[in-house]
């Protein structure tokens, strides 16, 4: 008879979360904020990349999945699970790499900036926003977090952004295109970036047409479109 409690060796991670996992340092204690299913920390533990994980969520429902999956993949002694808003209480576990994925950029910004621990030396933030990229980068730059690396990843029909940040205390400002597309993505200009920026530009041009026809001021949108066109010319 099939054993329903049979454990699988490793969760099948989506390309989006696999991309985030690439930036975790060997031997790190990781925190996964808004963990839901906890696939990312379980994957990192099973792969031998992370030594310990903290999985948190603001809601009890997702933490039920977290506990089930941690049992199923047989890593309960390596994962601390607790319910909290953002990073409240995280300092108790001293994580090295903090992952915040699958949330809006403004929520991620609030979670990061409200937590003093994120400003500790050696702490790295791996952020995967679903929206509000400009608000996230602007807020991080103003608050003294610097963007060390960025990447783009295709997952199904979508292209997702990943940011790797650390607190330096030095404030940064970005141009409108940098806020949206990422200064490091623009610097690297890889193939996926060209596709991503071109899709964004086409949408922006349609928006300029319809807003312009309706009599709205589109001067900022026009400037942004021009900046993106100039970036694409250098790719
Ligand atoms: C869309 S899921 C993303 C799950 C996983 N991180 C991923 O990327 O696949 C968002 C999760 O964040 C949790 N969440 C929302 N606001 C939160 C907050 N302020 N603090 C912690 N978790 C939060 C939700 O309960 C939900 O489980």
């Amino acid at each position: 008879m099939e054993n329903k409690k049979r454990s699988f060796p490793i969760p099948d991670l989506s390309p989006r979360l696999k991309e985030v996992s690439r930036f975790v340092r060997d031997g790190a204690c990781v925190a996964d904020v808004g963990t839901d299913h906890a696939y990312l920390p379980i994957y990192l533990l099973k792969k031998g990349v992370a030594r310990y994980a903290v999985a948190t969520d603001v809601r009890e429902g997702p933490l039920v999945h977290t506990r089930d999956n941690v049992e199923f993949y047989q890593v309960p002694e390596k994962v601390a699970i607790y319910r909290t808003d953002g990073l409240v209480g995280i300092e108790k576990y001293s994580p090295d790499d903090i992952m915040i994925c699958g949330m809006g950029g403004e929520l991620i910004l609030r979670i990061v900036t409200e937590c003093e621990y994120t400003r500790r030396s050696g702490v790295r933030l791996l952020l995967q926003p679903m929206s509000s990229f400009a608000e996230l980068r602007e807020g991080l730059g103003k608050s003294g977090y610097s963007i060390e690396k960025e990447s783009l990843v295709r997952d199904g029909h979508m292209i997702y952004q990943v940011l790797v940040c650390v607190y330096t205390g030095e404030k940064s400002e970005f141009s409108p295109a940098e806020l949206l597309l990422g200064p490091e993505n623009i610097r690297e200009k890889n193939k996926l970036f060209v596709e991503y920026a071109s899709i964004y530009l086409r949408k922006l041009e349609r928006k300029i047409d319809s807003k312009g026809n309706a009599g709205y001021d589109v001067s900022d949108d026009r400037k942004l479109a021009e900046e993106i066109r100039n970036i694409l010319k250098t790719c």
Side-chain angles (χ1 to χ4, degrees):
M1 200 174 74
E2 196 193 345
N3 179 3
K4 283 192 178 157
K5 275 273 181 192
R6 184 166 63 100
S7 81
F8 286 100
I10 195 153
D12 192 13
L13 219 55
S14 66
R16 173 179 64 89
L17 291 179
K18 214 172 245 177
E19 183 64 12
V20 176
S21 77
R22 279 201 318 114
F23 296 106
V24 172
R25 292 167 290 184
D26 267 343
C29 170
V30 294
D32 188 29
V33 178
T35 193
D36 197 353
H37 36 69
Y39 288 146
L40 182 51
I42 294 170
Y43 175 90
L44 289 163
L45 288 166
K46 287 286 193 177
K47 280 270 182 186
V49 176
R51 68 172 195 283
Y52 192 76
V54 191
T56 76
D57 207 286
V58 76
R59 294 185 300 129
E60 186 51 33
L63 289 180
V64 173
H65 298 145
T66 301
R67 287 188 203 99
D68 283 353
N69 286 335
V70 161
E71 284 294 327
F72 186 78
Y73 287 101
Q74 299 183 331
V75 284
E77 74 292 346
K78 288 187 173 176
V79 189
I81 301 167
Y82 74 100
R83 187 175 174 183
T84 194
D85 179 7
L87 283 158
V88 176
I90 204 69
E91 57 287 345
K92 181 176 164 200
Y93 301 94
S94 304
D96 309 292
D97 291 347
I98 297 174
M99 312 175 293
I100 314 179
C101 308
M103 293 183 208
E106 283 167 310
L107 177 56
I108 293 178
L109 179 66
R110 174 179 75 77
I111 290 174
V112 169
T113 53
E114 276 182 5
C115 175
E116 186 61 40
Y117 183 82
T118 62
R119 294 185 271 284
R120 255 195 220 174
S121 160
V123 171
R124 184 185 247 200
L125 305 165
L126 314 183
L127 312 176
Q128 188 276 299
M130 305 298 275
S131 60
S132 304
F133 313 115
E135 290 80 355
L136 175 61
R137 287 193 180 90
E138 185 171 34
L140 290 172
K142 277 186 181 160
S143 311
Y145 295 85
S146 100
I147 300 172
E148 287 207 319
K149 294 176 196 165
E150 287 176 322
S151 75
L152 295 167
V153 58
R154 189 194 305 280
D155 190 334
H157 297 301
M158 299 285 290
I159 298 174
Y160 294 97
Q161 300 199 24
V162 178
L163 286 73
V164 180
C165 303
V166 294
Y167 181 78
T168 59
E170 228 169 89
K171 296 189 194 316
S172 6
E173 277 184 27
F174 302 105
S175 71
E178 285 174 333
L179 285 174
L180 282 161
L181 305 173
E184 289 303 304
N185 289 326
I186 291 173
R187 198 178 54 77
E188 277 187 24
K189 294 186 183 71
N190 66 26
K191 221 171 135 193
L192 199 54
F193 170 78
V194 175
E195 182 179 337
Y196 189 72
S198 305
I199 293 169
Y200 190 89
L201 180 60
R202 278 200 295 277
K203 281 190 195 153
L204 185 60
E205 284 169 341
R206 281 199 294 273
K207 184 177 150 196
I208 291 170
D209 281 348
S210 60
K211 268 177 74 181
N213 289 340
Y216 289 99
D217 177 9
V218 287
S219 49
D220 284 349
D221 293 322
R222 282 219 170 90
K223 270 188 219 149
L224 174 60
E226 193 52 27
E227 191 187 350
I228 298 175
R229 264 185 228 109
N230 288 334
I231 292 166
L232 284 170
K233 271 185 209 156
T234 65
C235 291

